[in-house]
Amino acid sequence: SSSAASDVYKRQGLVDVNYAFGTDKTVTPGALRDLRFDGGAFDFSPAAAAPQAGENMRAFHLCGVDGLRLADLSLVSSGARAGGTITVQNSRRVALRDIFADNLTQAMNWRYVDGFEVDGFRCGHIGGEGIDFDSTVRRGLLRGLHFDNPLGGPTGQALEIASGSGIVTQGLFARNYLRALTICDKSTTPPTYREYVENAPVTQQTVSGDLVFDGVDVEDCAPGGQAI
């Protein structure tokens, strides 16, 4: 349920997280199987939200899924920049097709995902990250990533991979972003999802490796800084 996922964030002091679709936050891989969402439009404008919704509105929080498909989705805010986030955790065999995101805080955040394919992901103006592989995402294919910020100065990050491995990216375009591509390892990432949920001390750092990029086109990113 969405409330189960929100309860975890409440314990972390984040009390205004609201999901349109959510599952229980489970450490059991494959607790759910073969979920599919085809076609849909989300508008996260704070002006259109119910008063009790709070400010942190998100689309999906999906955990413990073996076989997940999201396709033909639009995630935007027609008002002030707000919301977004396709959050996927502790899942396997994940496929995304034809996703559009614009004027959001963040478009996607994944942790502990094994085996995935993203084909056709377009982002406009994003305050934080377009695609944020936040920790331990492995064995995947990214194809046709297009990040094009139409507003004034560069903002946000297009693609971040933290503690990722075995990932092939075919076609990455980024324009007018502060950072087109970030690859890093986080000392806060434990090897297993159970350790992450239980906030266990990190005794072994999970490092990135075996990352392939074929066709990277960067324009007007990171003036005076580092685009990659």
Side-chain angles (χ1 to χ4, degrees):
S1 66
S2 296
S3 60
S6 295
D7 284 345
V8 174
Y9 290 99
K10 288 178 181 178
R11 290 197 294 272
Q12 297 174 353
L14 304 174
V15 296
D16 64 342
V17 179
N18 302 267
Y19 294 99
F21 297 95
T23 65
D24 287 340
K25 198 173 183 73
T26 175
V27 298
T28 304
L32 297 171
R33 299 181 64 88
D34 300 325
L35 297 186
R36 180 168 178 166
F37 297 85
D38 281 354
F42 297 81
D43 187 344
F44 298 97
S45 172
Q52 68 273 19
E55 297 179 356
N56 200 340
M57 299 172 291
R58 304 184 185 184
F60 297 95
H61 188 291
L62 305 172
C63 185
V65 183
D66 187 350
L68 170 65
R69 172 188 163 96
L70 304 176
D72 298 316
L73 299 176
S74 172
L75 297 86
V76 304
S77 173
S78 61
R81 189 187 73 210
T85 309
I86 298 172
T87 298
V88 181
Q89 297 183 354
N90 194 31
S91 295
R92 303 177 297 211
R93 297 190 303 117
V94 178
L96 268 65
R97 301 280 190 281
D98 299 324
I99 309 297
F100 174 69
D102 187 36
N103 201 28
L104 305 178
T105 303
Q106 184 184 61
M108 190 162 82
N109 183 286
W110 288 10
R111 292 177 182 267
Y112 301 90
V113 174
D114 188 356
F116 64 90
E117 183 173 324
V118 177
D119 191 351
F121 196 96
R122 296 183 299 123
C123 282
H125 177 55
I126 303 294
E129 300 91 356
I131 296 178
D132 184 7
F133 291 153
D134 216 359
S135 56
T136 316
V137 175
R138 62 181 188 168
R139 296 194 298 181
L141 173 63
L142 301 170
R143 188 164 44 214
L145 307 183
H146 192 92
F147 303 90
D148 194 351
N149 174 24
L151 302 183
T155 59
Q157 292 190 104
L159 171 62
E160 177 176 315
I161 300 174
S163 302
S165 62
I167 300 172
V168 175
T169 301
Q170 296 177 339
L172 166 63
F173 173 82
R175 178 164 50 197
N176 207 22
Y177 273 71
L178 283 175
R179 190 71 60 84
L181 172 63
T182 301
I183 300 171
C184 61
D185 302 323
K186 296 181 178 179
S187 60
T188 55
T189 300
T192 69
Y193 186 69
R194 179 181 291 276
E195 290 172 289
Y196 163 71
V197 171
E198 295 176 351
N199 200 27
V202 179
T203 58
Q204 178 181 345
Q205 187 173 359
T206 305
V207 299
S208 296
D210 192 18
L211 304 177
V212 178
F213 297 89
D214 183 6
V216 177
D217 186 356
V218 177
E219 298 181 13
D220 299 325
C221 290
Q226 294 179 330
I228 298 176

